[in-house]
Amino acid sequence: MLLLLMRLCEHFELPRWCGWAASIVFGSLYHTAVMQVNMVGTKAAPLGEDLEFIQGEWTGKIGDGAVSVVLIFSTRGLAKAMEKMENLYKQWSPVGVKIVAISRESKEKVAAFVKDKNLTFPVAVDPDVGGDSTYSKYPVARLPTVFLCGGDGFITWHGHPMDGQLDDKLAKAVVGEKKDR
């Protein structure tokens, strides 16, 4: 794709940097739109025992009857998203919803971020990027990405925590779980 964009810029006699800039923009859009694997309806992978928790812990497992929210995140530019996750944790954990946030960044960097944002929900790091890592089990095209899992362990929704659907999807998942009991 880079070569094609470079040639187009040459054809229209644009500066060389235009090709680089266009490839970055279109590459990012392609990655976000096409590369995100649709995991809705699939069984959620178990969370690895090799997670290093900064705070809190993950009890039980996905699919043990409780609605679970798995947030894959990075510490860059997430103030509003993490504030939203903190509010969801305070609202839904009393009724049994489990929330965990996982980053691949260093334990020190994530610990400083957690302290700075005054987060109280479980936060872990998974520095492994190999075949059994959180990132291979929960592939994401952009950060942050939330995976909402029903009590049966199947992923019912995934997306950005700020896109407006998470609140409704979470409420419906909790109500659905209560009706099934």
Side-chain angles (χ1 to χ4, degrees), residues 1-179:
M1 177 176 346
L2 174 63
L3 187 58
L4 174 65
L5 291 171
M6 296 295 284
R7 300 237 180 203
L8 281 171
C9 287
E10 286 174 11
H11 176 75
F12 292 108
E13 298 178 359
L14 297 172
R16 188 172 189 85
W17 62 265
C18 288
W20 289 103
S23 67
I24 290 169
V25 170
F26 288 115
S28 296
L29 291 173
Y30 173 80
H31 189 269
T32 300
V34 177
M35 298 303 287
Q36 178 68 52
V37 177
N38 185 357
M39 296 183 65
V40 173
T42 64
K43 188 83 167 162
L47 294 178
E49 294 178 10
D50 53 345
L51 292 177
E52 298 177 45
F53 278 86
I54 305 298
Q55 72 177 13
E57 61 182 11
W58 182 260
T59 55
K61 61 182 183 174
I62 294 177
D64 64 0
V67 173
S68 302
V69 178
V70 178
L71 170 68
I72 309 298
F73 79 103
S74 163
T75 60
R76 285 168 266 165
L78 294 178
K80 292 285 186 195
M82 293 311 252
E83 182 180 308
K84 178 177 183 91
M85 295 306 296
E86 180 67 23
N87 290 337
L88 289 176
Y89 179 71
K90 288 177 180 173
Q91 177 183 358
W92 292 105
S93 66
V95 296
V97 173
K98 299 186 298 184
I99 295 177
V100 64
I102 304 168
S103 175
R104 77 169 88 189
E105 294 170 299
S106 74
K107 196 170 184 176
E108 296 77 23
K109 187 173 188 173
V110 174
F113 179 80
V114 166
K115 184 177 180 183
D116 182 55
K117 302 297 180 210
N118 297 315
L119 303 177
T120 60
F121 57 89
V123 178
V125 295
D126 185 356
D128 181 23
V129 292
D132 199 36
S133 73
T134 304
Y135 310 100
S136 63
K137 295 175 186 175
Y138 293 90
V140 297
R142 63 180 178 161
L143 294 174
T145 295
V146 169
F147 293 88
L148 177 61
C149 308
D152 59 0
F154 284 85
I155 296 172
T156 60
W157 179 83
H158 65 85
H160 194 279
M162 299 300 290
D163 82 356
Q165 295 184 41
L166 179 56
D167 294 303
D168 288 341
K169 299 287 184 178
L170 182 54
K172 287 177 183 173
V174 171
V175 170
E177 295 299 319
K178 287 186 178 186
K179 277 199 286 187

